């Protein structure tokens, strides 16, 4: 069967599974809608957390960025993985013991302030929208290539599926859907990685193949890739080319942002107690590590095969996968010298081929000549990754609006039924906005996601950490810190990436820090402002200080 037929089969099968789970697990109360009733087993929650965490950026874009950035791309691996460890060990158990539904709920009660809650709601909504547009973009890329539909139609289809099971099941439906999506995405990522590792190096385990000799006798994989890169004028794969401080700040921003992401934090409220929150965090880390330790190998395989396949080939002799991707405009060939051959080189004046980084994982099985069913399986896995995270983010938006904004702030007398209705309406509106940005993306998937992490790092992370570990932190300090950190980070990103992109280069960045890494500096701004303001304003009420002491005491609830 063709790739398209296989893809339709896998998509129909997996989407049917997701919809069936949503119908089976329909939420009937606000607790089920927000936190799945608080009784999800740790193993299932670990798988759901991994699926929620491993978005289109992890599945589609991360290995693609590493393929083009080489060693510099390791900051995505270090930042996202290290950040999850930070979240699991430093924050999640204490937030679970505090016992609130959402991050704005925690901030509003911990800082005894409706203003703090509203600022947290605003930050959560903005961060979630920035993040979710990357997921919709990833879904659109998959649909446009493998189902051969317009990318806008692909985004709309993804919007419809996510809307259905998010509205039907809330967190309860999303949790069990994400368990299924994790199984799909990890199988889809590992199968081609194993096949290509055996094909190129004879090693069954991709992580070992990454450091092994190639079967064609051309030397070790990484040495060969470095040699090809140098020959064609590209930066060498194993050398770092970014400044040390920029790598440090990007890694830190991704770590702090991970620990402040509201859609990941909320997962730890779905288990019965603190002990189960710790267990589910451990399970999730194992499940995440399977993909994250494989991604560098996938990137090296993909870049090597791409160079060997397309450089200096007659355009009339390009493989079928090349012409298929051309129709999506994610591969563009411009025959500058008119010789009919593809010149894929590092010199932009001579180079005739533009390759979108987001296609590397998706095109990798085709480039390697794997069976059609493997190619289609990767498409299904990419959709699972994109939709699982999109669902979690949409739920954050709906809970922020219905629970934190309406129920806890402006309409405290609404019934549980009305609150559920408002939550579902807000998901509908959020889906429409996310779809628009998925069709009109501001950058590569992983770059868009990196902006969301920077905003989360500069707003939520300091407020949560100080809320748990510094009982003297008061509402004035928290409010000032969140406003300063979020505002500084947002303005920096907007200026360099959207207002004046012509000056977006290391020479003009503050302290040599790129927009992807500015969230780490925004975190420091937040901490400094919050601590200073708290020192010169009244201490929190004694009952709030007692709560802070209690959540750090050992024991479950």
């Amino acid at each position: 069967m063709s790739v398209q037929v296989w893809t339709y089969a896998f998509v129909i099968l997996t989407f049917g599974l997701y919809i069936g789970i949503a119908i089976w697990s329909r939420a009937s109360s606000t607790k089920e809608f927000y936190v799945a009733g608080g009784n999800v087993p740790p193993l299932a929650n670990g798988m759901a957390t991994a699926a929620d965490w491993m978005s289109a950026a992890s599945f589609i874009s991360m290995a693609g960025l590493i393929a083009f950035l080489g060693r510099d791309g390791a900051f995505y691996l270090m930042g996202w993985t290290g950040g999850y460890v930070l979240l699991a060990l430093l924050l999640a158990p204490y937030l679970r013991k505090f016992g609130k539904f959402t991050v704005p709920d925690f901030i509003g009660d911990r800082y005894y302030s409706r203003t703090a809650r509203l600022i947290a709601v605003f930050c959560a909504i903005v961060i979630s929208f920035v993040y979710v547009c990357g997921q919709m973009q990833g879904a659109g890329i998959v649909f446009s290539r493998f189902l051969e539909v317009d990318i806008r139609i692909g985004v709309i289809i993804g919007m419809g599926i996510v809307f259905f099971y998010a509205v039907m099941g809330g967190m309860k439906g999303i949790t069990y859907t994400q368990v299924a999506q994790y199984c799909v995405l990890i199988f889809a990522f590992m199968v081609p990685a194993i096949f290509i590792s055996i094909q190129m190096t004879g090693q069954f385990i991709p992580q070992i193949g990454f450091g092994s000799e190639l079967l064609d006798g051309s030397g070790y994989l990484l040495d060969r890739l470095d040699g090809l890169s140098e020959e064609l004028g590209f930066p060498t794969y194993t050398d770092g080319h970014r400044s040390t401080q920029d790598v440090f700040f990007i890694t830190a921003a991704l770590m702090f942002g991970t620990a402040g992401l509201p859609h990941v934090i909320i997962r730890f409220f779905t288990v019965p107690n603190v002990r189960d929150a710790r267990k589910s965090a451990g399970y999730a880390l194992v499940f995440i590590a399977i993909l994250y330790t494989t991604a560098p190998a996938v990137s090296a395989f993909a870049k090597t095969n791409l160079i060997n396949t397309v450089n200096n080939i007659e355009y009339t002799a390009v493989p079928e996968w090349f012409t298929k991707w051309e129709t999506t405009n994610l591969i563009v060939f411009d025959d500058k010298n008119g010789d009919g051959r593809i010149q894929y080189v590092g010199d932009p004046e001579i180079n005739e081929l533009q390759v979108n980084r987001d296609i590397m994982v998706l095109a990798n099985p085709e480039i390697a000549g794997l069976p059609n069913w493997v190619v289609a399986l990767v498409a299904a896995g990419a959709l699972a990754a994109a939709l699982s995270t999109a669902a979690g983010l949409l739920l954050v938006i709906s809970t922020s609006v219905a629970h934190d904004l309406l129920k806890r702030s402006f309409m405290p007398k609404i019934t549980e039924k009305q609150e559920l209705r408002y939550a579902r309406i807000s998901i509908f509106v959020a889906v429409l906005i996310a779809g628009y940005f998925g069709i009109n993306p501001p950058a590569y998937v992983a770059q868009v996601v990196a902006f969301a992490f920077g905003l989360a790092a500069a707003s939520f992370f300091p407020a949560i950490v100080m809320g748990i570990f510094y009982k003297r932190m008061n509402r004035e300090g928290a409010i000032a810190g969140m406003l300063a950190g979020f505002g500084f980070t947002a303005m920096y990103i907007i200026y360099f990436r959207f207002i004046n992109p012509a000056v977006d280069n290391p020479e003009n960045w503050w302290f040599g820090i790129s927009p992807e890494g500015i969230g780490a500096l925004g975190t420091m701004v937040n901490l400094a402002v919050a601590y200073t303001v708290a020192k010169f304003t009244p201490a929190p009420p004694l009952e709030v200080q007692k709560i802070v002491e209690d959540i750090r005491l050992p024991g479950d609830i």
Side-chain angles (χ1 to χ4, degrees):
M1 290 193 296
S2 68
V3 171
Q4 189 176 18
V5 173
W6 274 113
T7 304
Y8 270 111
F10 281 133
V11 168
I12 291 171
L13 180 65
T14 54
F15 279 19
L17 175 63
Y18 305 153
I19 292 171
I21 291 172
I23 295 172
W24 165 74
S25 57
R26 179 179 174 86
S28 57
S29 67
T30 52
K31 189 172 184 181
E32 287 186 341
F33 193 88
Y34 294 146
V35 291
N39 56 10
V40 177
L43 181 61
N45 195 54
M47 296 179 77
T49 303
D52 208 354
W53 170 239
M54 292 189 294
S55 63
S58 294
F59 190 99
I60 296 174
S61 198
M62 182 173 64
L65 281 169
I66 296 173
F68 284 86
L69 295 175
R71 194 183 76 182
D72 286 338
F75 50 64
Y76 287 102
L77 289 170
M78 294 186 295
W80 284 338
T81 307
Y84 183 80
V85 175
L86 187 65
L87 170 63
L89 299 180
L90 187 65
L91 303 181
Y94 304 111
L95 289 170
R96 176 61 186 84
K97 194 169 183 181
F98 197 83
K100 296 299 177 181
F101 284 162
T102 66
V103 173
D105 221 6
F106 167 81
I107 289 176
D109 285 6
R110 164 60 182 87
Y111 295 113
Y112 51 97
S113 168
R114 188 172 80 164
T115 301
R117 185 189 303 277
L118 294 178
I119 292 171
V121 168
F122 172 79
C123 293
I125 291 174
V126 171
I127 291 164
S128 298
F129 271 128
V130 173
Y131 203 158
V132 80
C133 79
Q135 313 314 309
M136 292 295 100
Q137 179 188 355
I141 289 172
V142 175
F143 276 111
S144 66
R145 162 60 187 92
F146 294 101
L147 298 183
E148 297 183 11
V149 299
D150 184 83
I151 193 168
R152 290 169 292 186
I153 302 298
V155 170
I156 292 170
I157 295 171
M159 287 163 51
I161 295 297
V162 172
F163 174 72
F164 181 84
Y165 69 74
V167 165
M168 285 285 290
M171 179 58 82
K172 184 179 179 183
I174 287 171
T175 295
Y176 293 104
T177 300
Q178 286 174 336
V179 171
Q181 286 168 330
Y182 175 78
C183 296
V184 172
L185 76 87
I186 201 65
F187 188 70
F189 196 85
M190 293 303 300
V191 167
I194 292 170
F195 277 10
I196 296 173
S197 181
I198 294 172
Q199 183 186 75
M200 294 181 70
T201 68
Q203 297 291 342
F204 178 80
I205 300 174
Q207 291 87 337
I208 296 177
F210 183 54
S212 299
E213 290 188 76
L214 295 166
L215 293 178
D216 63 8
S218 58
Y220 285 90
L221 170 64
L222 293 179
D223 288 340
R224 175 61 176 158
L225 184 52
D226 275 350
L228 287 170
S229 299
E230 284 183 324
E231 287 175 19
L232 299 176
F234 292 111
T236 51
Y237 189 83
T238 57
D239 291 332
H241 303 279
R242 281 182 179 251
S243 66
T244 301
Q245 70 265 28
D246 192 33
V247 171
F248 173 82
F249 274 90
I250 293 176
T251 304
L254 295 174
M255 286 184 64
F256 299 153
T258 298
L261 280 178
H263 78 288
V264 177
I265 290 173
I266 199 173
R267 290 239 53 92
F268 296 100
F269 299 129
T270 64
V271 292
N273 52 53
V274 176
R275 180 176 299 170
D276 287 340
R278 292 183 186 275
K279 286 182 180 178
S280 64
Y283 284 131
L285 188 58
V286 173
F287 295 139
I288 290 168
I290 295 172
L291 188 146
Y292 270 56
T293 57
T294 307
V298 171
S299 66
F301 297 151
K303 188 65 179 290
T304 303
N305 279 334
L306 177 69
I307 293 174
N308 285 332
T309 302
V310 302
N311 185 51
N312 207 31
I313 188 175
E314 290 279 355
Y315 181 66
T316 55
V318 295
E320 182 183 3
W321 67 264
F322 188 98
T323 56
K324 292 286 188 182
W325 279 107
E326 268 193 307
T327 61
T328 66
N329 292 319
L330 298 176
I331 285 182
V332 178
F333 169 57
D334 177 17
D335 192 5
K336 294 179 179 178
N337 60 12
D339 66 352
R341 304 184 75 88
I342 299 174
Q343 303 300 318
Y344 184 44
V345 295
D347 186 342
E349 298 297 322
I350 303 173
N351 181 52
E352 299 176 337
L353 186 67
Q354 301 297 325
V355 182
N356 187 298
R357 300 173 184 184
D358 287 341
I359 75 167
M360 292 302 289
V361 170
L362 299 173
N364 195 23
E366 296 177 287
I367 299 172
L370 297 186
N372 288 343
W373 69 267
V374 178
V375 177
L377 180 65
V378 172
L383 289 173
L387 299 183
S388 63
T389 303
L393 293 164
L394 291 170
L395 189 68
V396 167
I397 294 169
S398 73
T399 53
S400 295
V401 172
H403 182 70
D404 297 304
L405 196 62
L406 299 180
K407 179 68 175 179
R408 296 300 304 274
S409 299
F410 296 114
M411 301 170 64
K413 294 183 180 180
I414 59 173
T415 65
E416 185 173 289
K417 186 176 180 180
Q418 289 173 316
E419 188 179 348
L420 273 175
R421 185 184 305 120
Y422 285 125
R424 287 175 166 135
I425 291 172
S426 63
I427 285 181
F428 174 73
V429 176
V431 164
L432 295 179
I433 298 173
Y436 171 80
F437 285 109
I439 295 170
N440 302 281
Y444 296 118
V445 173
Q447 286 179 312
V448 173
V449 169
F451 298 155
F453 279 75
L455 294 172
S459 56
F460 284 136
F461 179 69
I464 294 171
V465 170
M466 290 188 292
I468 294 171
F469 297 102
Y470 183 40
K471 67 180 182 180
R472 178 63 177 76
M473 180 51 57
N474 59 13
R475 64 186 175 192
E476 291 84 2
I479 291 170
M482 285 192 293
L483 289 174
F486 185 92
F488 168 77
T489 303
M491 287 189 292
Y492 191 93
I493 292 172
I494 291 169
Y495 176 76
F496 281 106
R497 282 295 153 91
F498 306 111
I499 294 177
N500 198 3
V503 300
D504 185 12
N505 60 70
E507 293 180 1
N508 297 311
W509 295 337
W510 290 10
F511 311 109
I513 304 170
S514 65
E516 288 88 353
I518 200 63
L521 187 57
T523 302
M524 299 177 193
V525 170
N526 186 328
L527 288 167
V529 171
Y531 183 80
T532 302
V533 172
K535 280 293 185 182
F536 293 96
T537 48
L542 291 177
E543 60 268 22
V544 172
Q545 297 186 47
K546 181 66 166 58
I547 291 173
V548 176
E549 291 177 349
D550 289 343
I551 64 174
R552 297 205 304 269
L553 292 175
D556 290 336
I557 57 171

